[in-house]
């Protein structure tokens, strides 16, 4: 599956998950827009990313000279207009159905037709309430905390998600060094939470 057309990523939400997911994409060479409604949240996210990278350097998992390049690939913004150039989107905002529905509506309107939109939701069935004009390009990609260390990512196919989208996201995650587990349909709690 070719993914060379995915060059720019948008991570919406700079909190616990968002900053760490943005870091993973930037580490792997993707220009990454990190969006949040609050400048303060973006400032905190960038500090956490720098701290995480320094921890990885101390553990000899990355080289010192790589850190500035990684940070320079992350572009903080309070405007979703950056979605106009996104090839792949990760929604990582709070677990609020209305907020997610509204965000998906805006992303669907702003992002190019080719853009794949994923949700990092922990337990909400976005396929029930997030209406888009591209249901074939929408799925759940649920990362675990901390996203830059835990390899597992649940990939959940919606009722109208195309297999091409599923395979594209699976290939992308493998390129990031992640271990995607593909689920044919939404079930509450996915795999790990259900086992626990």
């Amino acid at each position: 599956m070719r993914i060379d057309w995915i060059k720019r990523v948008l991570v919406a939400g700079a909190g616990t998950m968002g900053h760490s997911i943005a870091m993973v994409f930037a580490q792997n060479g993707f220009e990454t827009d990190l969006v949040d409604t609050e400048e303060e949240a973006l400032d905190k996210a960038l500090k956490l990313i720098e701290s995480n990278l320094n921890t990885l350097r101390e553990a000899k998992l990355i080289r010192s000279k790589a850190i500035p390049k990684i940070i320079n690939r992350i572009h903080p913004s309070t405007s979703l207009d950056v979605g106009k150039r996104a090839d792949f989107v990760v929604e990582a905002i709070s677990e609020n159905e209305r907020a997610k529905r509204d965000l998906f509506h805006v992303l669907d309107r702003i992002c190019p037709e080719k853009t794949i939109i994923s949700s990092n939701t922990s337990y909400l069935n976005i396929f029930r309430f997030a209406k888009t004009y591209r249901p074939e390009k929408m799925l759940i990609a649920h990362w675990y905390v901390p996203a830059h260390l835990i390899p597992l990512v649940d990939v959940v196919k919606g009722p109208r998600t195309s297999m091409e989208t599923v395979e594209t996201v699976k290939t992308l995650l493998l390129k990031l060094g992640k271990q995607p587990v593909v689920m044919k349909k939404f079930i509450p709690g996915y795999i790990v939470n259900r086992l626990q």
Side-chain angles (χ1 to χ4, degrees), residues 176-192:
L176 298 174
K178 298 301 173 183
Q179 185 57 59
V181 177
V182 177
M183 302 175 67
K184 293 179 183 175
K185 65 177 184 176
F186 176 87
I187 53 170
Y190 315 124
I191 296 170
V192 173

Side-chain angles (χ1 to χ4, degrees), residues 87-192:
D87 301 310
F88 183 75
V89 174
V90 179
E91 170 274 306
I93 66 171
S94 62
E95 294 291 275
N96 177 297
E97 185 174 315
R98 184 176 178 182
K100 286 184 187 292
R101 183 182 66 230
D102 292 347
L103 178 59
F104 266 81
H105 177 73
V106 173
L107 290 169
D108 194 42
R109 189 169 40 82
I110 289 174
C111 295
E113 198 175 311
K114 65 178 179 176
T115 307
I116 294 172
I117 303 177
S118 70
S119 175
N120 182 54
T121 182
S122 298
Y123 61 84
L124 293 174
N125 183 355
I126 60 157
F127 308 112
R128 184 177 54 77
F129 62 82
K131 307 300 180 201
T132 76
Y133 292 108
R134 66 183 90 205
E136 75 286 355
K137 294 184 183 300
M138 184 176 85
L139 48 61
I140 293 170
H142 172 245
W143 302 57
Y144 288 86
V145 180
H148 62 282
L149 295 179
I150 306 293
L152 181 65
V153 180
D154 300 315
V155 176
V156 184
K157 182 182 182 301
R160 296 170 65 189
T161 310
S162 73
M163 282 312 298
E164 181 182 2
T165 296
V166 172
E167 288 302 318
T168 299
V169 173
K170 181 180 170 185
T171 303
L172 175 62
L173 290 167
L174 288 169
K175 181 177 179 178
L176 298 174
K178 298 301 173 183
Q179 185 57 59
V181 177
V182 177
M183 302 175 67
K184 293 179 183 175
K185 65 177 184 176
F186 176 87
I187 53 170
Y190 315 124
I191 296 170
V192 173

